[in-house]
């Protein structure tokens, strides 16, 4: 009898195991669905499949490489002169993302009023806030934020719907987290991750961190920039930016690497800070240098708020032997 009972128990266990496993699937179905979704997102996520060798800078690619390094993505050449005389080339740089995006995100956090001077007093352990912010030039931003007073941290998400601010209009979602000061409540650090953040011409997939502990504000950015029209993907790798705000203007320095899908990558550095006045979309001065294979190099110089130029050393001998003439920033 005991042997029969033992056998029956084994059979019951064998038949019940799939149902127990199925029960786990039901209990944790949201997690499994999320994993499936993540894997699909990974398959459809933007990736860089272009050249990863060091670019040889020459007269045919200097404008694209210097402009892309400066603008954080693609440059384009318009067929029409857009009202300029024939001696003025019309190569245009996409939206000035390296400056514009961190400014938008910084202001968005401040407008959401995440913290205050007495952030930890008379508040629950976790405070959830939500709301909608109207863009300075159209669209809206909705947010959902959890503020943890004990650890002085926060986390949440933004959803942009044609949100226009600081010269760019963006749509998409991003997650973020950060820290704030014990006494002042001021935001100290913030980190953002985003997929398919779009301005109608490009999408960005990547991460950005802002450090407000010291002046100037320190920004780090790594992202894939996809041209919606052509499908080409550019890689903004390990950008480090210093952004200093003054009365009436902003100074920005950019360092890092830029990968062009056709030409390869260049290292970039700012030898003269770019000055952007509040009423302008583009810098009035500044100098960005890029370096490629065998000491080939190029320099992008901001001439004024309407135009810039590029010069290149195409044989690596230290002499700039090619000049683009005057080029125009993109009117936004």
């Amino acid at each position: 009898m005991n042997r029969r009972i033992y056998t029956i128990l084994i059979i019951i266990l064998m038949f019940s195991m799939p149902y127990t496993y199925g029960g786990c699937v039901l209990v944790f179905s949201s997690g499994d669905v999320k994993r499936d979704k993540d894997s699909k997102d990974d398959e459809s996520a933007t990736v860089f499949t272009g050249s990863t060798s060091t670019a040889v800078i020459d007269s045919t690619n200097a404008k694209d490489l210097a402009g892309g390094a400066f603008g954080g993505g693609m440059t384009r050449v318009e067929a029409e002169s857009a009202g300029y005389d024939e001696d003025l080339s019309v190569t245009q740089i996409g939206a000035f993302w390296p400056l514009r995006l961190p400014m938008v995100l910084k202001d968005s956090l401040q407008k959401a009023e995440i913290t205050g001077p007495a952030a930890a007093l008379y508040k629950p352990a976790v405070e959830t806030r939500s709301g909608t912010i109207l863009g300075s030039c159209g669209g809206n931003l909705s947010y959902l934020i959890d503020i943890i007073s004990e650890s002085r941290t926060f986390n949440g998400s933004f959803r942009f719907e044609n949100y226009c601010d600081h010269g760019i209009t963006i749509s998409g979602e991003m997650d973020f987290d950060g820290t704030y000061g014990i006494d002042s409540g001021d935001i100290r650090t913030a980190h953002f991750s985003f997929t398919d953040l779009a301005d109608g011409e490009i999408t960005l997939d990547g991460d950005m961190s802002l450090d407000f502990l010291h002046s100037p504000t320190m920004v780090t950015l790594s992202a894939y920039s996809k041209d919606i029209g052509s499908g080409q993907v550019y890689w903004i790798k390990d950008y480090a930016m210093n952004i200093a705000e003054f009365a009436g203007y902003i100074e920005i320095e950019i360092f890092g690497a830029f990968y062009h899908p056709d030409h390869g990558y260049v290292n970039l550095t700012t030898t003269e800070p770019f000055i952007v006045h509040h009423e302008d979309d583009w810098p009035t001065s500044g100098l960005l240098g890029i370096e490629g294979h065998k000491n080939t190099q190029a320099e992008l110089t901001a001439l004024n708020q309407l135009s810039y130029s590029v010069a290149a050393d195409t044989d690596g001998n230290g002499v700039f032997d090619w000049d683009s003439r005057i080029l125009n920033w993109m009117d936004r």
Side-chain angles (χ1 to χ4, degrees), residues 4 18-19 39-40 56 65 68 75 83 93 95 99 103-104 116 119 170 194 213 224 229 237 274 291:
R4 288 185 60 192
Y19 294 97
S39 64
K40 292 179 181 178
V56 177
L65 289 170
T75 57
I93 294 177
L99 171 63
M103 298 302 293
V104 169
I170 55 178
F194 41 86
L213 291 175
Y224 297 122
K237 185 180 180 183
F274 288 94
E291 184 176 349

Side-chain angles (χ1 to χ4, degrees), residues 40-57:
K40 292 179 181 178
D41 287 347
D42 290 341
E43 292 175 2
S44 61
T46 302
V47 294
F48 182 81
T49 58
S51 173
T52 57
S53 60
T54 312
V56 177
I57 302 171

Side-chain angles (χ1 to χ4, degrees), residues 52-292:
T52 57
S53 60
T54 312
V56 177
I57 302 171
D58 57 34
S59 60
T60 65
N61 63 23
K63 289 188 293 186
D64 285 348
L65 289 170
F70 173 77
M74 64 182 180
T75 57
R76 59 180 67 84
V77 179
E78 300 294 334
E80 301 295 332
S81 63
Y84 295 99
D85 60 53
E86 294 181 357
D87 292 332
L88 184 63
S89 301
V90 291
T91 300
Q92 298 179 332
I93 294 177
F96 192 5
W97 281 91
L99 171 63
R100 304 300 180 189
L101 186 56
M103 298 302 293
V104 169
L105 298 183
K106 174 184 176 182
D107 286 358
S108 297
L109 288 175
Q110 292 174 340
K111 291 174 182 176
E113 297 182 346
I114 290 178
T115 61
L121 300 178
Y122 314 114
K123 292 189 177 183
V126 179
E127 181 182 2
T128 300
R129 297 184 183 180
S130 61
T132 300
I133 301 169
L134 298 180
S136 60
C137 45
N140 65 81
L141 156 65
S142 56
Y143 61 87
L144 180 64
I145 303 171
D146 285 337
I147 304 168
I148 300 90
S149 59
E150 182 177 0
S151 59
R152 302 299 196 279
T153 60
F154 59 87
N155 62 78
S157 61
F158 283 148
R159 180 175 182 177
F160 301 93
E161 296 183 6
N162 295 314
Y163 184 74
C164 180
D165 194 20
H166 287 286
I168 59 175
T169 300
I170 55 178
S171 296
E173 299 181 8
M174 64 170 56
D175 296 324
F176 60 83
D177 57 72
T179 63
Y180 60 92
I182 296 177
D183 298 322
S184 66
D186 293 338
I187 297 171
R188 297 166 65 89
T189 62
H191 176 262
F192 304 85
S193 59
F194 41 86
T195 302
D196 292 336
L197 194 65
D199 75 341
E201 296 173 346
I202 66 171
T203 62
L204 280 184
D205 289 10
D207 296 89
M208 176 178 286
S209 295
L210 280 66
D211 186 340
F212 304 105
L213 291 175
H214 308 95
S215 182
T217 299
M218 298 179 62
V219 181
T220 56
L221 167 66
S222 287
Y224 297 122
S225 172
K226 182 178 181 179
D227 180 344
I228 295 175
S230 68
Q232 282 195 304
V233 177
Y234 305 79
W235 188 5
I236 307 163
K237 185 180 180 183
D238 298 330
Y239 268 35
M241 293 170 278
N242 297 323
I243 300 176
E245 298 186 63
F246 300 94
Y249 69 96
I250 297 169
E251 281 189 3
I252 179 171
E253 298 176 296
I254 312 172
F255 310 89
F258 170 70
Y259 286 71
H260 190 287
D262 298 326
H263 308 307
Y265 80 89
V266 293
N267 293 308
L268 58 120
T269 184
T270 304
T271 54
E272 295 179 14
F274 288 94
I275 307 298
V276 184
H277 293 275
H278 289 170
E279 67 273 14
D280 296 331
D281 288 335
W282 298 100
T284 57
S285 63
L287 181 65
L288 178 79
I290 62 171
E291 184 176 349

